[in-house]
Amino acid sequence: MYVAGFVASALLVTLVCAGRAEIAISVLLPPAVVLFMVIAPPGLLVLMTAVVLVISPTAWPHLGELGGADVYLGDAFLLLFGLAALLRVRHHRGMPVLGAVAAFVLYGLVRGMLGSATESTVTFLRIVEPVLAGTAVGLLLPRGFGLWRTARWALLGVLATVPFVGDTHIRWSGLPGGPNEVALVAAVLVVLGAAATSKSARSLLVLSGLWGLVGTRGIIASAAALTGLAVLSLGRRLRTQRGEKGLVHPLTIACAAIVACLVVPRIRPDLDVTIYVHTTQAQSFWSTFASTNPLIGGGWSEGDSQALVDAYRRTDLLGLHNVYLDIAVFLGVVGLGLFLLVLWCAWRSSDRLTRAVLVTVAVWFNTTGAFPGVGWGLLGLVVAACVRSAATPDGVAPVMVTDPAASVRMKGPAPAYRSRSATETPGGVRQLERQPVLRRMGPGA
């Protein structure tokens, strides 16, 4: 399969370079797409999906308009990957995060339709399409698949393109978007690197992430990375006596926080302006919120309500620069509650590494508006990891094994538990698991 894919790709590139792109597009591309949807291995699907999700939609070639919204090649890729995953879904998994995502998306669509604004509905779909694509991919992945082991290389590759295709003059920007978006990719790499079991991978990912944070001078992203590292160290004191240690020592996090507080003011001479902008926008929330329906919001479009636009103009700054405040304005208290429910269900359904990435993204959402971008893409990967996981509510996935010798001692179907042992989760985090032992029934049982 890999040989056939390599030959087809080489032939496709050869035809394009020879000036016969029309033959490549009309003859080779359709069957290649069909084959990809049918036989693409999960690892390749996750890698390509992760690349698309962490690149800004506007960085892709423009394809046209749909319902007043611009459509880019990245949108087409997400549609292709989502369909490829849905056509090969292994089985439905009744994870709570699925219901939460469905409720949030359904409410956003209904709210847009009630406002009779096609632009509002399409804009909302553009926002949540990474989450929907991640959900579809998660349904395809087998349990135990190392999603973060694959996705981290996609994030690293996109971050490595910044010196070549981005702006590194003052604050770095690149394919993920502006400095804040690049900083989020760097922050997640720091978290994934801290959880890596290989020393070489850990050094590469952590140093690359720190390199990106320094280059972008991301304040909230740095705080988000520290929060993610704190999640990785949760339970250290309780588990040390049982033979397990947290991946990051709390003292390391405290020292990193002190260093950040000392360094950030020096590398961000515009810090006072940034604080003023965020403070002013946050203060304008209440007047903006009051200008719409606080319960169901004003719809996911600034054009739906002139009063909403006027409230924004009071600060001479467009947008609230905060995902949670934007959702409260556009979808009201109900929409904000459903979005927080998605985050909560993702937390309850994930392992410790996925939780660390989740809180990193959740903290970073305080520095950007609710528009398509890398934050929603990483949230889509978090949802995919949650759907893929067979984790119990406390984030520990039981490992089922068979013990034939126990049938002599067994008189009933109830499973027994053996002692705790250190195992490695798909994301690379070592943690303890309580492993139930399935005992076969003897004759006549």
Side-chain angles (χ1 to χ4, degrees), residues 52 55-62 70-75 126 129 174-178 371-373:
V52 176
I55 294 179
S56 172
T58 57
W60 298 96
H62 184 260
D70 293 327
V71 178
Y72 298 90
L73 183 60
D75 301 314
R126 288 290 311 282
E129 68 177 6
L175 292 179
F371 52 82

Side-chain angles (χ1 to χ4, degrees), residues 89-336:
V89 168
R90 297 174 179 269
H91 54 82
H92 173 72
R93 300 168 190 169
M95 303 295 291
V97 70
L98 291 177
V101 170
F104 176 66
V105 173
L106 181 61
Y107 174 77
L109 295 178
V110 172
R111 179 62 190 88
M113 295 176 183
L114 290 177
S116 301
T118 304
E119 180 184 358
S120 177
T121 304
V122 173
T123 303
F124 176 74
L125 284 175
R126 288 290 311 282
I127 294 289
V128 299
E129 68 177 6
V131 179
L132 296 177
T135 303
V137 172
L139 289 171
L140 165 69
L141 299 179
R143 286 171 177 168
F145 180 86
L147 184 143
W148 297 116
R149 289 179 180 271
T150 302
R152 64 189 183 183
W153 302 119
L155 271 64
L156 181 62
V158 171
L159 182 64
T161 63
V162 170
F164 306 102
V165 298
D167 181 11
T168 59
H169 178 58
I170 301 177
R171 296 183 62 195
W172 294 358
S173 60
L175 292 179
N180 289 331
E181 285 71 24
V182 176
L184 175 60
V185 175
V188 173
L189 279 176
V190 171
V191 173
L192 296 178
T197 54
S198 169
K199 291 184 178 179
S200 57
R202 184 186 306 119
S203 301
L204 176 62
L205 295 173
V206 171
L207 291 178
S208 299
L210 294 177
W211 171 73
L213 288 176
V214 172
T216 57
R217 297 169 172 83
I219 299 174
I220 300 298
S222 299
L226 289 173
T227 307
L229 294 177
V231 171
L232 289 178
S233 67
L234 284 177
R236 179 185 176 91
R237 293 181 61 185
L238 295 177
R239 292 175 176 144
T240 299
Q241 297 179 352
R242 301 173 181 173
E244 182 194 12
K245 295 183 178 180
L247 295 177
V248 183
H249 197 286
L251 184 59
T252 303
I253 302 175
C255 293
I258 294 174
V259 172
C261 292
L262 296 176
V263 172
V264 166
R266 295 182 179 274
I267 65 176
R268 285 293 300 273
D270 62 335
L271 185 59
D272 55 339
V273 177
T274 301
I275 295 176
Y276 166 76
V277 170
H278 283 268
T279 303
T280 305
Q281 290 174 328
Q283 290 174 348
S284 69
F285 165 73
W286 293 110
S287 59
T288 308
F289 185 60
S291 67
T292 63
N293 188 322
L295 184 62
I296 62 174
W300 205 282
S301 175
E302 296 170 9
D304 288 349
S305 171
Q306 187 61 40
L308 177 60
V309 177
D310 292 339
Y312 274 129
R313 287 173 178 166
R314 292 176 187 175
T315 61
D316 295 324
L317 300 168
L318 186 61
L320 292 172
H321 230 61
N322 188 297
V323 167
Y324 306 105
L325 299 185
D326 272 350
I327 292 178
V329 170
F330 293 139
L331 298 182
V333 174
V334 176
L336 179 61

